[in-house]
Amino acid sequence: DPNSYLLTGRHGRVFGNELPFPLTREVMERGQQRYNIYCTPCHSRVGDGNGMIVQRGFKHPPTFHQQRLRNAPLGHFYEVISFGWGAMPDYAAQIKPEDRWAIAAYIRALQLSQAAPEADVPEQDRAKLNAPPESIAIPDNSYKSPTVMQPPAALPTPAKGGVRP
């Protein structure tokens, strides 16, 4: 049915905020994979809108971390991926509906990862939030500074007549 929630992201005229199928680890991994392929050039890996195209002088897309998009239902992201928005083209021909939903779920995970409230962190781990990072001991033999190559005293004379040595 072309009017189904799976294909529209809407319940009638209202965007839905749930996936049309169960959220699993595989769905999230697929969403991350598809996001990294199709979305990071513009939106970046963390969704802040500082992708490679911006560094090349193209228009800056919105960050997913602004309040307006944090509050946007999943159906909104599905529709934007499907039909485009502003300078963003549609991706309906490149990304199948289930993968558009997986990307929408991954975008929500990105949003949560960048703005997680301290209350969501287990109490036993909260002290680690403001602690300095643990130092990583590097064994003495794990890194040696590169040896500077000295040029030979005399450069070899090239062979004549195009013959390789």
Side-chain angles (χ1 to χ4, degrees), residues 7 19-21 44 46 52 55 62 68 85 100 102 105 109 130-131 158 161:
L7 299 178
L19 290 175
F21 45 78
S44 88
V46 294
M52 218 28 165
Q55 297 171 37
R68 175 180 68 86
W85 182 274
R100 286 180 245 157
N130 297 319

Side-chain angles (χ1 to χ4, degrees), residues 58-95:
F58 288 88
K59 187 176 179 179
H60 196 287
T63 173
F64 294 132
H65 307 297
Q66 63 184 279
Q67 198 61 43
R68 175 180 68 86
L69 292 179
R70 272 197 223 115
N71 293 335
L74 290 177
H76 166 77
F77 295 107
Y78 177 86
E79 184 170 281
V80 170
I81 296 166
S82 300
F83 300 109
W85 182 274
M88 180 178 155
D90 70 271
Y91 281 86
Q94 294 91 343
I95 306 171

Side-chain angles (χ1 to χ4, degrees), residues 124-148:
Q124 69 271 17
D125 294 328
R126 288 184 195 160
K128 297 176 188 175
L129 292 175
N130 297 319
E134 297 176 22
S135 61
I136 300 172
I138 300 175
D140 289 339
N141 66 351
S142 66
Y143 176 77
K144 304 258 187 240
S145 60
T147 305
V148 176

Side-chain angles (χ1 to χ4, degrees), residues 5 8-10 15-18 73-80 101 104:
Y5 182 66
T8 65
R10 292 175 179 260
F15 285 125
N17 197 31
E18 71 280 347
L74 290 177
H76 166 77
F77 295 107
Y78 177 86
E79 184 170 281
V80 170
W101 281 111

